[in-house]
């Protein structure tokens, strides 16, 4: 599908007059409409809830929008729990799906009354020792081997560090029951960024059958099944988009087929989507600083891999639109780069684009999830601002850009600190 930015050049210029590029821009309208579609797709399940994966876009404004749409939060660290607490997520509105969990993180999750999702069998005793056993506990499943859909291998759980085997799940449930747990959740994340509509239904089938077996073997009351994240987005125009209505319907069929006949028709379904909830509703907006023509034609932006790491890290495709030139022919071939001293700091390689000039404003699409949040400070580059485009068309700064003071702040334990802050 053709990729159209959610802002025009004129809108971008208005925002830039207020917040200089580069910045991450989020589309409130798109976020809300998409969340409503997800809830509609799973409306057949009474207890359905999406726990937004905070790591994808850890900004309180975004979390509040999703909270208004009925979502909870999925956290994996102490600071993500703090952020969720500050946004008034309470108790079972918080899922804690961590691994290699520090003591303080586990204690914080317990104190907040979150659903705790145990990554390992040994975490039963760990949880009891450092916090306590809640009435409802979730365990994360790893089936091992390879995970395939009709059209080929999707991922390799046998190589994944997460979760526990079925035998371990069974003893974890028994142990937890002996220690007072009364209700159980089952969780698994088997493939990332899949745009195959069969992913969730296939995963659901595996987890529903597991739930039936665990329920039989242990008598444990299964309260919920958490399909986790992994529903993908169409980063490239030639990719299919996920069809969330078809996905919801596919999961419903498995539910009717497997859980209902086993007497488990009251199980609630949860998701922990990050990318699907936010990626398409974020743009990284950047300005062309320089062009150069050597063996290839380059345009260099004021954004770099420190603002959006996916292309450098995974070779990911992010579509690019030159604002104001949407209808011009893409008759030039460019490498679009940032300014890191790393040759992999390229947002696009050999990309057909319209003729670009210094000062042009570019939109990098689908940066709303795992965009800003994967940012870092290499080469002394500072993190960008985040801006919300509201439903009424106005914009709001929802995180300011980092300054040199922020970058140097952790030298406050050294004698260099005053001079790094403009002192003597
Ligand atoms: C990263 C993660 C998610 C979200 O994944 P997406 O690909 O963004 O949907 C959900 N659950 C867990 C445990 C994760 O680690």
């Amino acid at each position: 599908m053709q990729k159209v930015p959610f802002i025009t050049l004129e809108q971008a210029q208005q925002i830039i007059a207020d917040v200089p590029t580069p910045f991450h821009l989020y589309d409130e309208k798109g976020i809300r409409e998409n969340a409503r579609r997800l809830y509609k797709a799973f409306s057949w399940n009474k207890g359905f809830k999406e726990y937004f994966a905070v790591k994808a876009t850890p900004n309180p404004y975004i979390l509040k929008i999703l909270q208004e749409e009925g979502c909870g939060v999925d956290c994996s660290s102490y600071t993500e729990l703090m952020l969720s607490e500050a946004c008034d997520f309470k108790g079972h509105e918080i899922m804690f799906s961590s691994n290699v969990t520090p003591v303080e993180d586990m204690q914080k999750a317990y104190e907040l009354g979150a659903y705790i999702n145990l990554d390992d069998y040994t975490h039963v005793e760990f949880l009891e020792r450092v916090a306590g056993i809640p009435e409802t506990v979730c365990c994360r499943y790893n089936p091992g081997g390879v995970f395939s859909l009709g059209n080929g291998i999707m991922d390799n759980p046998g190589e994944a560090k997460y979760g526990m085997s079925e035998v371990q799940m069974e003893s974890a449930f028994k142990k937890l029951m002996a220690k007072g747990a009364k209700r159980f959740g089952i969780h698994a994340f088997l493939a990332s960024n899949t745009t195959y509509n069969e992913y969730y239904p296939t995963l659901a089938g595996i987890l529903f059958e597991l739930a039936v077996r665990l329920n039989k073997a242990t008598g444990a009351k299964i309260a919920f099944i958490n399909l986790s994240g992994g529903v993908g987005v169409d980063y490239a125009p030639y990719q299919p988009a996920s069809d969330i209505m078809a996905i919801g319907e596919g999961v419903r069929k498995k539910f009717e087929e497997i859980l209902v006949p086993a007497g488990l028709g009251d199980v609630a379904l949860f998701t922990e989507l990050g990318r699907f909830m936010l990626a398409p509703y974020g743009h990284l907006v950047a300005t062309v600083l320089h062009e150069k023509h050597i063996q290839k034609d380059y345009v260099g932006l004021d954004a770099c891999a420190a603002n959006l790491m996916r292309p450098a890290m995974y070779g990911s495709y992010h579509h690019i639109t030159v604002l104001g030139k949407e209808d011009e022919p893409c008759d030039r071939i460019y490498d679009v780069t940032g300014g890191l001293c790393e040759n992999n700091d390229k947002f696009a390689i050999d990309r057909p684009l319209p003729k670009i000039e210094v000062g042009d404003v570019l939109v990098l699409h689908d940066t709303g999830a795992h965009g800003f949040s994967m940012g870092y400070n290499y080469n002394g580059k500072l993190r960008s601002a985040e801006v919300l485009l509201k439903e009424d068309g106005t914009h709001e700064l929802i995180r300011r850009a980092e300054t040199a003071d922020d970058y140097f702040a952790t030298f406050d334990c050294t004698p260099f600190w005053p001079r790094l802050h403009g002192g003597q």
Side-chain angles (χ1 to χ4, degrees), residues 110-248:
Y110 181 84
E111 279 165 28
L112 290 175
Y115 280 134
I116 293 176
N117 182 16
L118 298 178
D119 184 58
D120 188 50
Y121 173 69
T122 59
H123 288 201
V124 175
E125 262 148 28
F126 174 57
L127 176 62
E128 185 184 37
R129 180 163 51 80
V130 304
I133 303 293
E135 279 213 347
T136 310
V137 188
C138 184
C139 289
R140 184 167 183 167
Y141 176 53
N142 183 332
V146 295
F147 174 68
S148 52
L149 293 178
N151 33 21
I153 291 175
M154 290 303 301
D155 222 320
N156 209 342
E159 290 291 328
K161 66 174 177 171
Y162 309 106
M164 45 187 125
S165 71
E166 180 165 349
V167 174
Q168 291 174 327
M169 293 277 287
E170 191 179 317
S171 16
F173 275 26
K174 284 182 180 157
K175 220 175 209 176
L176 285 161
M177 285 164 82
K179 294 179 190 295
K182 299 204 160 50
R183 294 151 51 84
F184 291 84
I186 297 173
H187 169 281
F189 190 161
L190 301 187
S192 189
N193 190 24
T194 50
T195 48
Y196 297 109
N197 294 331
E198 312 90 80
Y199 169 61
Y200 253 13
T202 307
L203 171 68
I206 292 170
L207 294 184
F208 293 170
E209 277 164 8
L210 174 69
V212 173
R213 289 196 301 274
L214 287 172
N215 171 256
K216 281 216 177 89
T218 67
K221 160 93 185 136
I222 311 296
F224 65 83
I225 291 173
N226 182 346
L227 300 175
S228 188
V231 175
V233 301
D234 49 334
Y235 284 102
Y238 51 81
Q239 266 184 299
S242 290
D243 178 348
I244 200 65
M245 295 312 290
I247 292 170

Side-chain angles (χ1 to χ4, degrees), residues 65 73-74 119 122 139 164 179 205 214 223 251 260 298 356 405 416 422:
I65 291 171
V73 279
D74 162 40
D119 184 58
T122 59
C139 289
M164 45 187 125
K179 294 179 190 295
L214 287 172
V251 174
V260 172
Y298 293 94
I356 291 177
D405 277 359
F416 300 99

Side-chain angles (χ1 to χ4, degrees), residues 185-386:
I186 297 173
H187 169 281
F189 190 161
L190 301 187
S192 189
N193 190 24
T194 50
T195 48
Y196 297 109
N197 294 331
E198 312 90 80
Y199 169 61
Y200 253 13
T202 307
L203 171 68
I206 292 170
L207 294 184
F208 293 170
E209 277 164 8
L210 174 69
V212 173
R213 289 196 301 274
L214 287 172
N215 171 256
K216 281 216 177 89
T218 67
K221 160 93 185 136
I222 311 296
F224 65 83
I225 291 173
N226 182 346
L227 300 175
S228 188
V231 175
V233 301
D234 49 334
Y235 284 102
Y238 51 81
Q239 266 184 299
S242 290
D243 178 348
I244 200 65
M245 295 312 290
I247 292 170
E249 178 56 19
V251 174
R252 191 189 65 78
K253 284 204 182 105
K254 295 284 183 186
F255 193 92
E256 299 290 335
E257 225 173 271
I258 301 165
L259 287 185
V260 172
L264 300 180
D266 61 345
V267 167
L269 289 187
F270 296 162
T271 55
E272 279 176 352
L273 297 166
R275 193 186 313 275
F276 179 79
M277 301 308 287
L278 251 299
Y281 314 107
H283 288 335
L284 174 56
V285 182
T287 303
V288 176
L289 291 185
H290 294 282
E291 58 177 309
K292 69 182 287 187
H293 305 278
I294 47 172
Q295 288 82 3
K296 303 179 80 173
D297 295 321
Y298 293 94
V299 290
L301 309 184
D302 55 4
C304 67
N307 307 112
L308 176 69
M309 196 191 214
R310 299 186 72 260
M313 188 170 178
Y314 310 119
S316 314
Y317 182 96
H318 280 269
H319 198 66
I320 296 176
T321 300
V322 185
L323 290 181
K325 299 186 178 176
E326 288 85 349
D327 298 325
E328 291 184 19
C330 293
D331 54 2
R332 309 293 162 111
I333 302 286
Y334 291 108
D335 279 17
V336 180
T337 82
L340 292 186
C341 303
E342 282 282 342
N343 199 44
N344 67 357
D345 185 14
K346 294 184 175 181
F347 292 119
I349 297 173
D350 298 330
R351 180 74 56 87
L353 288 165
K355 181 169 168 32
I356 291 177
E357 266 123 322
V358 168
D360 277 350
V361 178
L362 270 55
V363 156
L364 287 93
H365 290 251
D366 302 310
T367 58
H370 313 291
F372 180 94
S373 63
M374 288 177 87
Y376 57 111
N377 282 124
Y378 191 56
N379 262 180
K381 295 287 185 180
L382 304 175
R383 287 182 176 80
S384 79
E386 293 181 289

